[in-house]
Every structure is written in C-alpha cells, then in structure tokens.
Amino acid sequence: NSSEVWAFFRVGRRARGQLLALESDVSSDRIRAHHDGYRFIARDLRHTRSWVLTDAGLDVEDLILGSAGTHQVRSFFHFHPDLELQAESKHRFAFHDSVSGLCGSISLDAQIEEVAMLKTSYGRAFGDRRPKVCLQGSCRAPLPLTLHTEIRW
C-alpha cells in the first residue's frame, strides 16, 4: 500500500500521486502516474506505474526508482471478493468471477522471487467486511527496478 493504512477507513501518511500521461487510440488506453508514498522510507524513493488496457487485457509496468543498492521490494494485487484465484505456476494465476463469469489469468514478473496468496478482507462500508484474496510478490533487487504484470481475459 502506498499510503500508510492504520485500520479500515483510517489513513496515516498519505501518498501524493501525479498523473504523468493519459493517452487513447482505437487499440488501447494508456495511463502513467507516480507517487511518493514511500518517502518516509527514503526521500528519493519513487514508484511510477503504467497501465495499457486493450480488448485482450491489461499490462502493468512498475518502475521503482531510488538510492543505489539492493532493496526489498513488495508488490500487492488486491482482488474483489467475487473473484476466485488459483495458482497455475509460481508466477501465473487463473481467475474466475463467480458473478459475471469473467475468466482470465494474471502473470507476475519472473524477477519476483516469492509469491504468496493472502487472505484479507474488503470493506464495502464501515463495519461491512467480506473475505478476499491478495497476491503478494516480493524480491530483493537493485534499483532502478522494472516489473511487468500481464492480466488477460
């Protein structure tokens, strides 16, 4: 999480985001933005995320910039409670939406060393939580680091 979350519906240090690019044509929509939500870890630490949406799916590129050296990096992908997730391999997961019937897959970058499927919850409103799944990927790597995630439906 890029903002410090104390509990459901309570936020501490907030990330400051900035839209860098918004483009669209007949084949895709593209967005690029960054935030400084990790500045309390290191002042120069910055996360830039790019999304490319097509009829086939969504490609996500994360660029992490910061001071030299090797760093522990974690990536989180939160899924709606109606989405069922099943591991196909270390870096690839199939999903199925039990309400809409949408099926697809999510493929994490091969640089991700450890992947965990976490049971968390989704708060629709204060006091109203539903169980859900979150994928957490982590690795130790030097910066700058670029991670690619591919979601297909």
Side-chain angles (χ1 to χ4, degrees):
N1 294 328
S2 52
S3 290
E4 188 177 51
V5 178
W6 295 335
F8 276 93
F9 302 100
R10 294 200 59 206
V11 179
R13 291 178 279 210
R14 294 175 188 266
R16 295 177 296 211
Q18 180 181 7
L19 179 64
L20 301 173
L22 177 60
E23 303 166 342
S24 186
D25 59 36
V26 294
S27 63
S28 68
D29 296 310
R30 297 169 301 284
I31 300 172
R32 188 166 44 95
H34 71 226
H35 70 80
D36 64 356
Y38 307 121
R39 68 188 177 282
F40 65 93
I41 297 170
R43 291 193 67 76
D44 67 340
L45 194 55
R46 182 157 315 257
H47 176 208
T48 301
R49 177 168 279 178
S50 301
W51 297 265
V52 178
L53 178 66
T54 66
D55 289 340
L58 178 68
D59 292 318
V60 181
E61 179 182 279
D62 290 297
L63 172 62
I64 300 102
L65 300 170
S67 53
T70 300
H71 299 268
Q72 180 70 35
V73 176
R74 288 192 189 107
S75 182
F76 298 88
F77 292 91
H78 297 269
F79 296 91
H80 189 274
D82 294 336
L83 219 63
E84 299 165 11
L85 202 62
Q86 177 146 3
E88 293 185 334
S89 68
K90 179 178 179 180
H91 294 98
R92 185 178 165 92
F93 296 80
F95 63 80
H96 176 259
D97 185 324
S98 59
V99 174
S100 72
L102 178 70
C103 294
S105 65
I106 178 168
S107 299
L108 305 178
D109 196 290
Q111 295 177 87
I112 297 292
E113 297 162 346
E114 295 181 31
V115 179
M117 234 187 316
L118 309 174
K119 293 182 180 183
T120 62
S121 37
Y122 165 72
R124 287 192 296 196
F126 188 77
D128 182 9
R129 289 194 271 183
R130 293 175 57 195
K132 70 170 188 73
V133 174
C134 172
L135 274 183
Q136 175 189 296
S138 62
C139 65
R140 289 196 57 76
L143 300 183
L145 175 65
T146 301
L147 297 172
H148 299 275
T149 304
E150 183 179 277
I151 302 169
R152 293 294 175 257
W153 45 74

